[in-house]
Amino acid sequence: MFFLLFGFLIQTQELLNAQTIVWSLGIVTSIFLLRFLLVKIFGLSVVPLGFIAPRGLITILLFLNIPAALNMELVDKSLIIQVILLSAMVMMMGLLLNKTAVQQEEDTTSKEVPAIISPDSDLPEYH
């Protein structure tokens, strides 16, 4: 429900703000680079764990709780919305790529393995 209401508050010019897009791309890139690095350090599978770094509810709630006196000129609704949407798109693409890789792996392993010895061959019977 919260995201539905927040979606109604988004204005198109906030999404297409050219002043904050560079900052939001930098923030999202640094989030995922740091995430990939930490996943590698801990020896976990990079796919899909490296792509799961959602931003959303907590980011919005923390941003809305910043007092007006502490607001910075650069950090506005445009930057927050762009970071949330970019991280959601990266996460979506990573999970979709992982899903197709898992499906391809299942397809290759589920095929019948041909018999090495044909049933027509004359093999001695052991009793």
Side-chain angles (χ1 to χ4, degrees), residues 84-123:
I84 291 169
L85 291 178
L86 286 172
S87 65
M89 284 190 270
V90 170
M91 188 170 63
M92 177 187 67
M93 293 305 295
L95 292 175
L96 284 174
L97 291 174
N98 182 52
K99 183 179 177 181
T100 56
V102 168
Q103 285 176 346
Q104 288 175 350
E105 182 179 315
E106 287 175 355
D107 290 343
T108 58
T109 58
S110 66
K111 292 180 181 176
E112 271 189 46
V113 178
I116 297 172
I117 303 171
S118 67
D120 300 336
S121 63
D122 295 329
L123 292 176

Side-chain angles (χ1 to χ4, degrees), residues 17 19-20 63 72-81:
N17 187 347
Q19 296 171 342
T20 58
F63 175 72
M72 295 182 354
E73 188 175 318
L74 178 65
V75 181
D76 58 356
K77 272 177 56 174
S78 297
L79 181 72
I80 301 299
I81 292 168

Side-chain angles (χ1 to χ4, degrees), residues 1-11 56-57 60-61 64 77 81 84-85:
M1 187 69 174
F2 176 79
F3 288 106
L4 182 67
L5 293 174
F6 187 70
F8 284 121
L9 296 174
I10 295 175
Q11 296 176 359
L57 181 61
I60 296 166
L61 291 176
L64 294 176
K77 272 177 56 174
I81 292 168
I84 291 169
L85 291 178

